[in-house]
Amino acid sequence: MRRTSAVGLALAACLGTVPTATATAAPAAPKYGAGLDRYYEQRLGWGSCAKGPGDTMGRDLDKAGVQCADVTVPLDYAAPQSRTITVAISRLKATDTRHRIGSILLNNGGPGGTALESPPEFHARMKETGPRYDIVGFDPRFVGRSTPLDCGWSVGTNLFSAGLSRTSFERQVTLQKDLAAKCRATNASVLPHVSTRNTARDMDVIRGALGEKKISYFGYSYGTYLGTVYTQMFPGRYDRVVLDGALDPREYGPRLVKDAAGENEQALADWATWAAARNDTYGLGRTRAQVLATIDRIIKASARGPLTVGTAPESFPLDDTRIPLVLLTGTDSDTDTARASLAEQVSVLNKAAAGQPTRLSPQFAATLRFAMTAEGSPHGSVQSAILCGDRAAPRDPEVYWRDIERSRAAYPRFGALANNISPCAFWDGPREEPTEVKHDANMLIVSATGDPRTPHKGAVALHGLLPSSKLITLKGANRHAVYGVYENPCIDDKVNRYLATGKLPANDQICSKQAG
């Protein structure tokens, strides 16, 4: 943020002779820059989280003792006197006030993920350390309850594959261009202000409004990039920082998935081994190679004509641009539960490819409804807006096509998805340059070696950029996001020890995947 110098604002020329007895002191210089003090020093109106009788999440937060408030922030930090927006926050206050550490701010990733609902579950993950913190969730600007953005898309994501042919790729170019046009038509006035740097500025306003000199932070996935940006923009204003599923900030941007094609292929192959051992249940093949061949046959069948899954009134046509997304969403964890869910979904696709009627589980139906219909439009809209607002993407469709074609041999199921064109190719350029890591930061980085979303190499790279950080590596797991959600005591205990003491381990740490 470009801060206006306070020197010229604090003093004014005084003409004529002023009696000493009536002289007044010069006005105090603004602490945070011209026009920003009123945001940092606002009084928050804490109250119920429930917005109405149908607000299940709000009622659950109320029952858990969480209170909610709206923080007012400027839409444009370069013009803080102009339009304002609100950022929704929630807080579960520390009960061990004698040993209170401070506030910890949460982000669940995305980009576009909410965390307003997270303080109770995060309190449980922290175990005996939880009562020592005010645990604060927030929905970043234009997400969830924070002045939400919705472009009116007919789908909930732009993360589709280019398919198997030039024709399917051209359809993607048309779709992605249309998605960008819809956002420009519906939200042109705010799109320039949707960025990670502005969210980091909002975080610092939250810190000030909470009355904290320093704030702790926990971020998953994209939240690791947000946390890194905050430490660079506001050095000295953070306490304990944990980044789980960390990104290399130099690689973050609209083509983020491109860097993970190999990890996703490996995760899918490992799942295929698991499914092959359960062929009697799922009928997908008795070896890894046979299961992967089944998947390839499904994709080729869908390229000839969309496969219809489900029954009226809820059925979905899935072609070779959609099915890789189903596979991608199913490979983010290697637990038996997650693998069984993907196996059931692939079994449905296999039946559809054979022309058989199919019935969807509630989970599969919900996944398809969110991704393939307007239900997920707010999430897809703001996710694209953040990515496109942070870093420019190549504008020539041929750049993407060449990358797709080059990737097919090595990454036959995910290369055309990871390298596909996105709305960012048709977006207006970002207002600011991407954040560069110039300041060292004490933080704890957590990463699994087989993470298929934010590859382990990104965590290693971030650790290298921040010499004072420490890295905890979970070996042998195809898992995205570990702490508190993967039930690995080694990871959980080390993170909680850091949150309790503020002391990083003396050296980088290794944990191993638990049986089962």
Side-chain angles (χ1 to χ4, degrees):
M1 177 171 53
R2 297 175 181 173
R3 288 185 170 80
T4 305
S5 171
V7 176
L9 302 176
L11 303 175
C14 184
L15 300 178
T17 302
V18 181
T20 303
T22 60
T24 58
K31 292 169 60 178
Y32 295 104
L36 290 179
D37 284 5
R38 69 184 180 107
Y39 297 105
Y40 277 89
E41 297 170 358
Q42 64 186 286
R43 295 175 63 89
L44 301 179
W46 294 104
S48 170
C49 295
K51 296 294 186 181
D55 183 5
T56 303
M57 182 190 76
R59 290 203 312 272
D60 289 345
L61 289 175
D62 289 345
K63 290 177 182 177
V66 177
Q67 289 189 308
C68 291
D70 287 329
V71 180
T72 301
V73 298
L75 172 67
D76 182 355
Y77 277 85
Q81 303 295 345
S82 299
R83 179 180 170 184
T84 63
I85 58 175
T86 57
V87 173
I89 68 173
S90 60
R91 180 178 66 180
L92 182 60
K93 294 196 71 174
T95 53
D96 186 0
T97 54
R98 184 177 179 182
H99 302 101
R100 181 181 180 275
I101 295 169
S103 295
I104 185 167
L105 196 60
L106 312 177
N107 183 275
N108 290 327
T114 67
L116 196 74
E117 71 281 5
S118 295
E121 60 193 25
F122 204 82
H123 182 273
R125 294 170 193 171
M126 296 172 74
K127 299 178 181 177
E128 63 269 14
T129 307
R132 300 180 61 192
Y133 279 92
D134 287 358
I135 304 175
V136 181
F138 80 111
D139 289 353
R141 56 171 48 203
F142 306 113
V143 173
R145 296 187 179 184
S146 297
T147 314
L149 181 152
D150 184 359
C151 298
W153 287 1
S154 60
V155 291
T157 182
N158 67 72
L159 195 60
F160 298 121
S161 173
L164 299 183
S165 68
R166 178 74 192 207
T167 300
S168 60
F169 172 68
E170 292 295 346
R171 290 199 301 268
Q172 281 296 303
V173 173
T174 300
L175 170 65
Q176 305 291 348
K177 185 175 183 180
D178 181 63
L179 296 178
K182 280 184 167 61
C183 281
R184 191 175 296 109
T186 56
N187 290 276
S189 64
V190 301
L191 291 182
H193 311 292
V194 187
S195 70
T196 298
R197 288 179 64 83
N198 277 333
T199 298
R201 294 179 177 114
D202 295 343
M203 286 169 54
D204 202 54
V205 169
I206 292 171
R207 176 199 59 77
L210 292 173
E212 301 282 10
K213 290 184 178 180
K214 294 184 177 183
I215 197 163
S216 295
Y217 176 82
F218 194 109
Y220 291 105
S221 191
Y222 160 80
T224 68
Y225 178 70
L226 173 60
T228 300
V229 170
Y230 184 79
T231 67
Q232 299 307 300
M233 293 180 67
F234 300 100
R237 297 187 192 176
Y238 57 89
D239 185 11
R240 299 161 203 195
V241 175
V242 182
L243 306 182
D244 187 341
L247 287 158
D248 180 346
R250 297 166 301 186
E251 300 297 326
Y252 165 82
R255 307 195 76 188
L256 181 61
V257 182
K258 180 180 179 181
D259 199 40
E263 285 77 6
N264 278 287
E265 291 283 350
Q266 185 61 55
L268 185 66
D270 291 346
W271 166 84
T273 299
W274 182 95
R278 295 157 179 80
N279 182 62
D280 291 345
T281 301
Y282 302 109
L284 300 175
R286 296 191 178 278
T287 66
R288 170 189 286 204
Q290 289 177 0
V291 174
L292 293 175
T294 297
I295 287 176
D296 292 340
R297 285 197 302 272
I298 292 169
I299 295 174
K300 288 177 181 176
S302 72
R304 294 191 293 268
L307 309 181
T308 299
V309 297
T311 55
E314 191 164 50
S315 61
F316 303 89
L318 303 178
D319 65 8
D320 53 332
T321 69
R322 264 55 172 174
I323 288 176
L325 175 61
V326 174
L327 302 175
L328 185 81
T329 58
T331 55
D332 69 341
S333 180
D334 59 9
T335 63
D336 283 346
T337 300
R339 284 178 163 173
S341 177
L342 179 58
E344 291 168 1
Q345 294 173 9
V346 175
S347 295
V348 169
L349 296 174
N350 197 30
K351 290 179 181 178
Q356 300 174 16
T358 58
R359 185 172 295 178
L360 302 179
S361 68
Q363 179 190 11
F364 195 15
T367 298
L368 294 177
R369 190 164 53 246
F370 186 83
M372 311 298 179
T373 74
E375 179 180 299
S377 174
H379 178 269
S381 300
V382 73
Q383 183 171 81
S384 291
I386 295 169
L387 288 166
C388 303
D390 281 341
R391 195 185 295 265
R395 306 192 75 82
D396 183 0
E398 295 306 316
V399 171
Y400 300 89
W401 179 247
R402 286 193 295 269
D403 288 345
I404 290 164
E405 290 288 271
R406 280 194 293 260
S407 72
R408 292 192 191 276
Y411 312 124
R413 293 114 205 157
F414 293 116
L417 184 151
N419 291 279
N420 195 22
I421 196 166
S422 78
C424 300
F426 309 100
W427 216 265
D428 293 339
R431 284 205 167 185
E432 296 183 84
E433 291 297 316
T435 302
E436 294 184 22
V437 174
K438 297 181 178 179
H439 306 287
D440 193 9
N442 294 305
M443 63 171 62
L444 191 61
I445 303 170
V446 180
S447 177
T449 54
D451 188 331
R453 294 293 178 274
T454 54
H456 181 61
K457 58 193 174 189
V460 173
L462 177 61
H463 180 37
L465 292 172
L466 303 171
S468 295
S469 66
K470 290 294 182 289
L471 173 63
I472 305 179
T473 299
L474 178 62
K475 295 183 67 176
N478 296 332
R479 172 71 195 197
H480 180 56
V482 179
Y483 169 75
V485 291
Y486 195 57
E487 299 182 2
N488 185 278
C490 178
I491 294 289
D492 294 351
D493 290 348
K494 292 180 187 302
V495 171
N496 284 335
R497 189 177 303 121
Y498 167 63
L499 291 175
T501 65
K503 296 180 180 179
L504 290 166
N507 301 296
D508 293 340
Q509 304 285 301
I510 300 291
C511 293
S512 298
K513 178 183 175 181
Q514 304 295 303

